[in-house]
């Protein structure tokens, strides 16, 4: 049944790098991400509101950043992994026209419980660090 | 701010600690496939645990789940927030900060922990309190306080499914927000340019045109850099210049790690380079990894366009084959 | 010709504010608190002050400090340039004013919100004067725009020339932190610090890591200088200025003297040292303890060489033998220095050097301290002074 492979705890080592992902920050992603997370604060869908707080354009809301960070982790792990926590620090805003590169690596691994911790960073090409933090996942024993 | 003012604000804000922002409130909608699909499409998430009922039925979970990162989404207030929010402990706290001049606001950290996965049909209840407020801190944005809300999420069985901690900085802005760029054009930061005055403008204009010049005394022929109005050897104020071949040798170097400045590309190596003509020049070393840069290394420079506004000499290892 | 200033000016009062990362008060408030503390320490009244010396970088005008304190008339005010290079230059100004009779009692002060206000680590990209901006313009476009990056450039070449390693930089950083741990006024008070923490800290500009760099602090420091005649009537034992000098050497730039034939050195400090020794009639063997300007760990090493405690390139072995420790050849930066106490642009160092001669340092060496050296920042026009017990 399984064309969707999930990494097992024996297939992962501390220091493993996750495949980096480039995400185009478009107006569509910013506005639709805000709506998909039911965040209707005007700064995320109204350019005028964003400019009134000193930014050039609408900027990504936190729940979208958090969603992208989780996706980055589960894209790597596969669907049977269970997400235990997402802890992120926010940096510079993501604004349309930028490209955010997300990268990460395995920092801890508990083979008994299958709990892995990933250090993840998303940096945009204009202002640098947008989000930085950790995602914890539990990996299955066997596939 | 005087100590008295600090005492006054702190006596007000610390009273908010422990207050409820939202009493336990069930979400208007149950966890549902439509909102999950919309979220996944927009995030670009193809995880079959969220989307593929057949796959999920045969998986260890025996059914689809909601993306854990949607935990806070289910209980969000709706479109009415564009017209303003009903007052609660958080908005009152924010107004208190504002009244003391702590008008700046910046979400700094969010941490979600998940104890139980939820599936379509479940209903999520959120309860939020103001959990803690820091002491006064000096930050890069200005002096301020961090406050943290703690949200607790339960399902329809009263089982705790997760928590969220959200930390916000309220600060006294150090300066007015930057005005928006004209026509909303993204203002891409560039490298910090040298100011141009009588004694250095000609050098930077030549650099704009792709040349590195070295000032030469008209009287005694001594070369000098950086440019200055009089020759220290013979006191002549007459000068012309020669163009450097940009053949050089590294006298010293450093890789700049911190702080990272907007408009600069990292890794970033700066070096003092002895040019073949005999004067020294500070510039960047590129075209090799920072760890390959050595004192005594031969380099070859070229004036390059670094960004929209900046032309600068950049030096490559002379033997790299990558040099211009 | 060597100036004849020996024993003509005496430090009679010292004062520090609390050092912090967020003072919550103006720089002027810090300045007057520090000056008042020094006046009280001396047993003087504000109206006894008739001269002031501070940094060109200080934002507190002498007349504002005077009005806030009720000083009244000032007959001397002089400022010294070049950042931390001004530390002992202010003492130099005070000594000249007193020995020539331009003033009788001069306060040297420096106060800054160096953490909560303008931070030096932010570099020179912000507001700076036009003349300076032209100078920094040769470096800013390349990203070489913080004090750490300029010092790193010298350090890399000096380590290459001499073979000195980070073991020596660590010893400078570690010895001051041990002192700071025992000084209640210091940021490092009560803190442990070891090689693992030093090595693990983030790189700032290689080879300098976080703990090679000084604090960024809010605070103020002041010292009162007067004539020997006046000093004899005051409550503290007088600490005489035995020699004081400033120097800008050939082909000098501010922090970026990269155009000398060999730039991994500080010839300006060698000249200042020679002149201070000549004025005081003392030699290197007479120096019992020191406060050596330590914005960054390697600059302490270069100064040990410039003042003749060891030869060029030998400072690494000198410090690794424990010379800077409390029982060593030259107990140094016993307040914790600017690496571990606070960064008050070296004026807290003049306060500490005075304490060393008085015998009141939090880390007072067991041996007698008859002569203490105190220096200004380097990489810039600089200087130093030797202090000793008043006869």
């Amino acid at each position: 049944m399984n064309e969707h492979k999930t990494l097992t705890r024996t297939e992962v080592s501390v220091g493993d790098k996750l495949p980096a992902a480039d995400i185009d920050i478009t107006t569509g992603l910013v506005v639709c991400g805000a709506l998909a997370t039911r965040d209707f604060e005007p700064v995320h869908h109204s350019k005028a509101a964003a400019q009134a707080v000193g930014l050039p354009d609408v900027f990504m809301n936190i729940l979208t950043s958090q969603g992208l960070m989780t996706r980055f982790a589960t894209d790597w792990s596969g669907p049977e992994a269970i997400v235990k926590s997402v802890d992120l620090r926010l940096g510079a805003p993501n604004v349309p026209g930028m490209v955010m590169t997300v990268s990460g690596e395995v920092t801890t691994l508990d083979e008994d419980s299958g709990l892995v911790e990933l250090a993840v960073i998303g940096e945009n090409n204009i202002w640098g660090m947008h989000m930085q933090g950790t995602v914890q996942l539990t990996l299955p024993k066997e596939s | 701010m005087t100590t008295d003012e600090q005492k006054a604000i702190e006596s007000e804000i610390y009273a908010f600690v422990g207050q409820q922002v939202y009493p336990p409130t069930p979400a208007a909608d149950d966890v549902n496939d439509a909102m999950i699909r919309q979220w996944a499409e927009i995030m670009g998430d193809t995880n079959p645990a969220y989307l593929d009922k057949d796959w999920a039925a045969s998986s260890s979970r025996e059914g689809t789940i909601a993306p854990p990162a949607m935990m806070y989404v289910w209980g969000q207030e709706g479109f009415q927030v564009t017209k303003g929010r009903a007052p609660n402990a958080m908005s009152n706290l924010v107004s208190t900060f504002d009244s003391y001049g702590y008008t700046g606001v910046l979400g700094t950290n969010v941490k979600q922990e998940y104890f139980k996965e939820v599936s379509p049909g479940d209903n999520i209840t959120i309860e939020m309190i103001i959990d803690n407020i820091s002491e006064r801190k000096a930050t890069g944005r200005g002096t301020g306080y961090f406050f943290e809300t703690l949200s607790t999420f339960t399902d329809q069985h009263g089982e705790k499914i997760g928590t969220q901690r959200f930390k916000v900085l309220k600060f006294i802005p150090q300066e007015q927000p930057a005005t928006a760029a004209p026509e909303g054009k993204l203002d891409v930061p560039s490298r910090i340019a040298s100011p141009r005055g009588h004694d250095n403008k000609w050098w930077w204009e030549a650099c704009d045109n792709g040349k590195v010049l070295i000032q030469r005394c008209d009287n005694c022929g001594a070369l000098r850099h950086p440019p200055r109005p009089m020759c220290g050897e013979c006191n002549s104020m007459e000068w012309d210049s020669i163009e450097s071949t940009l053949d050089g040798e590294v006298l010293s170097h450093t890789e700049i790690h911190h702080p990272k400045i907007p408009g600069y590309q990292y890794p970033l190596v700066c070096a003092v380079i002895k040019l073949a003509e005999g004067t020294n020049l500070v510039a960047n070393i590129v075209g090799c990894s920072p760890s390959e840069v050595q004192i005594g290394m031969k380099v070859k420079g070229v004036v390059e366009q670094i960004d929209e506004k900046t032309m600068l000499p950049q030096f490559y290892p002379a033997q790299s084959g990558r040099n211009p | 010709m060597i100036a004849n200033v020996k024993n003509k000016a005496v430090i009679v009062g010292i004062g520090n504010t609390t050092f912090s990362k967020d003072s919550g008060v103006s720089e002027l408030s810090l300045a007057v608190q520090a000056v008042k503390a020094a006046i009280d320490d001396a047993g003087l009244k504000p109206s006894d002050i008739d001269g002031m010396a501070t940094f060109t970088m200080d934002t507190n005008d002498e007349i504002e400090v005077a009005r806030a304190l009720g000083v009244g008339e000032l007959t001397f005010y002089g400022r010294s340039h070049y950042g931390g290079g001004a530390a002992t230059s202010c003492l130099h100004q005070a000594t000249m004013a007193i020995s020539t009779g331009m003033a009788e009692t001069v306060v040297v002060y420096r106060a800054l919100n160096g953490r909560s206000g303008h931070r030096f680590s932010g570099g020179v990209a912000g507001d700076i004067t036009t003349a300076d901006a032209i100078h920094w313009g040769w470096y800013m476009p390349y990203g070489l725009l913080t004090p750490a990056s300029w010092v790193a450039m010298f350090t890399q070449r000096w380590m290459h020339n001499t073979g000195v390693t980070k073991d020596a930089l660590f010893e400078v950083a570690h010895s001051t932190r041990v002192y700071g741990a025992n000084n209640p006024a210091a940021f490092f008070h009560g803190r442990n610090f070891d090689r693992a923490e030093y090595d693990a800290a983030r790189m700032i500009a290689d080879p300098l890591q976080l703990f090679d760099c000084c604090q960024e602090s809010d605070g103020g420091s002041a010292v009162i200088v007067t004539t020997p005649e006046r000093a004899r009537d005051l409550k503290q034992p007088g600490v005489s200025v035995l020699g004081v000098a400033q120097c800008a050497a050939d082909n000098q730039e501010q922090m970026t003297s990269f155009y000398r034939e060999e730039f991994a050195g500080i010839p300006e400090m060698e000249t200042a040292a020679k002149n201070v020794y000549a004025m005081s009639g003392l030699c290197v063997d007479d120096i019992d303890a020191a406060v050596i300007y330590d914005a960054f760990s390697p600059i302490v090493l270069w100064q040990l060489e410039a003042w003749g405690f060891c030869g060029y390139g030998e400072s690494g072995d000198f410090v690794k033998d424990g010379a800077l420790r409390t029982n060593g050849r030259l107990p140094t930066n016993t307040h914790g220095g600017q690496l571990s106490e606070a960064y008050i642009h070296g004026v807290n160092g003049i306060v500490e050097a005075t304490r060393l001669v008085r015998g009141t340092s939090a880390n007072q060496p067991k041996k007698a301290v008859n002569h203490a050296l105190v220096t200004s920042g380097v990489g810039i026009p600089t200087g130093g002074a030797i202090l000793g017990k008043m006869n």
Side-chain angles (χ1 to χ4, degrees), chain B residues 108-138:
Chain B
T108 63
N109 296 78
V110 56
K111 177 176 187 179
Q112 292 191 340
E113 289 185 273
Y114 313 108
F115 308 132
K116 186 186 171 196
E117 293 178 329
V118 298
S119 299
D122 288 335
N123 188 276
I124 309 301
T125 287
I126 177 175
E127 178 184 7
M128 185 190 290
I129 62 165
I130 293 168
D131 189 64
N132 62 75
I133 302 177
S134 75
E135 57 189 38
R136 200 162 72 106
K137 297 205 165 160

Side-chain angles (χ1 to χ4, degrees), chain B:
Chain B
M1 160 166 293
T2 66
T3 313
D4 285 346
E5 279 169 327
Q6 188 176 344
K7 275 187 192 141
I9 182 174
E10 290 183 357
S11 72
E12 290 192 45
I13 58 174
Y14 290 138
F16 281 92
V17 174
Q19 284 194 26
Q20 218 165 31
V21 179
Y22 299 131
T25 312
D29 290 300
D30 290 347
V31 174
N32 63 80
D33 289 328
M35 281 172 65
I36 292 172
R37 181 165 306 284
Q38 175 171 294
W39 184 96
E41 280 178 7
I42 293 166
M43 296 298 159
D45 198 331
T46 57
N47 193 332
Y50 311 147
L51 300 168
D52 185 335
K53 283 195 164 31
D54 295 336
W55 179 86
S58 63
S59 74
S60 62
R61 295 184 182 95
E62 300 175 353
T64 58
I65 57 164
M70 285 187 78
M71 183 167 67
Y72 189 79
V73 173
W74 306 109
Q76 283 264 54
E77 293 180 57
F79 187 63
Q80 68 269 17
V81 303
T82 58
K83 302 177 188 77
R85 288 173 190 264
N88 59 31
M90 183 151 65
S91 60
N92 293 338
L93 173 60
V94 166
S95 309
T96 304
F97 276 120
D98 290 347
S99 70
Y100 282 92
Y102 291 77
T103 52
V105 59
L106 185 72
T108 63
N109 296 78
V110 56
K111 177 176 187 179
Q112 292 191 340
E113 289 185 273
Y114 313 108
F115 308 132
K116 186 186 171 196
E117 293 178 329
V118 298
S119 299
D122 288 335
N123 188 276
I124 309 301
T125 287
I126 177 175
E127 178 184 7
M128 185 190 290
I129 62 165
I130 293 168
D131 189 64
N132 62 75
I133 302 177
S134 75
E135 57 189 38
R136 200 162 72 106
K137 297 205 165 160
T139 77
R141 293 300 190 104
T143 296
Y145 295 84
F146 291 92
F147 73 86
E148 190 172 73
T149 62
L150 171 61
S151 302
T152 306
F153 303 87
T154 47
D155 66 12
Q156 64 276 19
H157 310 296
E159 245 185 291
K160 196 160 141 181
I161 63 160
T163 57
Q164 171 176 291
R165 289 183 171 278
F166 182 37
K167 194 187 276 185
V168 177
L169 172 66
K170 282 294 286 176
F171 60 98
I172 301 175
Q174 287 177 326
E175 51 202 48
Q176 292 300 309
T179 48
E183 280 114 53
K185 186 173 177 292
L186 189 60
D187 191 14
V188 179
S190 52
R191 294 209 181 183
I192 301 163
S194 174
R196 298 184 183 193
H198 279 294
D199 296 333
N200 70 342
K201 185 168 171 234
W202 61 273
W203 194 94
W204 286 108
E205 284 175 351
C207 187
D208 291 343
N209 292 314
K211 291 178 183 169
V212 169
L213 300 183
I214 303 171
Q215 197 179 28
R216 177 172 63 183
C217 176
D218 233 7
N219 184 49
C220 73
L223 298 175
R224 58 187 195 259
H225 182 82
R228 41 199 177 269
M230 184 181 282
C231 175
E233 304 291 324
C234 72
N235 290 2
S236 168
M237 296 185 74
E238 301 301 317
W239 56 269
D240 60 3
S241 64
I242 60 167
E243 185 180 349
S244 173
T245 62
L246 297 179
D247 292 298
E249 176 184 326
V250 174
L251 293 181
S252 192
H253 57 93
T254 181
E255 183 187 355
I256 311 297
H257 293 263
H258 179 86
K260 290 194 166 59
I261 313 278
Y264 289 75
Q265 299 76 36
Y266 296 84
L268 180 64
V269 176
C270 297
V272 180
I273 294 153
K274 183 167 246 356
L275 296 174
E277 293 81 8
T279 55
N280 293 356
L281 178 72
V282 166
N284 299 121
I285 305 280
V286 296
C288 64
S289 105
S291 61
E292 291 173 61
V293 180
Q294 301 289 336
I295 291 173
M297 182 167 114
K298 303 284 187 228
V299 289
K300 175 76 176 176
V302 61
V303 177
E304 290 181 346
Q305 177 118 30
I306 307 292
D307 54 48
E308 204 179 337
K309 299 173 186 157
T310 314
M311 294 281 285
L312 286 178
Q314 305 283 289
F315 285 77
Y316 292 74
Q319 309 306 330
S320 71
R322 280 174 288 184
N323 58 301

